[in-house]
Amino acid sequence: MIPIPASLHSKSSAHDLKSRLDWGEPALTIIDVRDRSAFNACHIQGAISLTQAELVDRATANLEPMRDIYIYGATDEDTAEAASMLREAGYQNVAELTGGLAGWQANGFPIESTSAVIG
């Protein structure tokens, strides 16, 4: 039996997010704010791409303000800036994914990639 995950924190680890996804009813959105080419090359499985330039406009048009959001960028600083933008726009349930994609991959968690494997 998978334990009920902890509640959303302003800063979350890859393990926190994975636990929430494994629970089976995550009711959350994962946002990647890196540029599109980085997103297209590789991203957390299930993440959506919203660059920082379009983040608030697209989020307010598509996501309920009470939605749980996990967000990550190229660096923890980019992540913090994007999370701050969402919080200022009225989103209260925003978690900064510390370590971003690198932290996620270091744990061997699922990613989506358009990179071809040559071997």
Side-chain angles (χ1 to χ4, degrees):
M1 182 169 175
I2 298 173
I4 295 173
S7 60
L8 188 80
H9 298 287
S10 63
K11 293 188 187 281
S12 294
S13 71
H15 285 283
D16 295 333
L17 175 54
K18 184 69 165 86
S19 167
R20 185 86 184 270
L21 292 170
D22 288 347
W23 187 43
E25 292 187 43
L28 59 87
T29 299
I30 305 167
I31 299 175
D32 182 327
V33 296
R34 299 174 304 143
D35 66 55
R36 289 264 198 275
S37 61
F39 177 85
N40 290 338
C42 183
H43 56 271
I44 293 174
Q45 187 174 23
I48 61 171
S49 176
L50 297 179
T51 64
Q52 283 188 332
E54 65 186 358
L55 177 62
V56 172
D57 288 340
R58 289 200 46 211
T60 55
N62 296 293
L63 300 173
E64 294 294 323
M66 296 309 296
R67 182 78 174 170
D68 285 0
I69 298 171
Y70 287 80
I71 194 163
Y72 68 96
T75 66
D76 284 345
E77 292 78 19
D78 289 345
T79 300
E81 182 179 338
S84 177
M85 291 168 63
L86 284 179
R87 290 181 187 120
E88 288 174 17
Y91 290 86
Q92 300 303 311
N93 302 328
V94 179
E96 300 168 31
L97 187 61
T98 56
L101 179 63
W104 184 261
Q105 287 180 291
N107 287 287
F109 297 150
I111 58 167
E112 294 177 331
S113 175
T114 57
S115 302
V117 176
I118 300 173

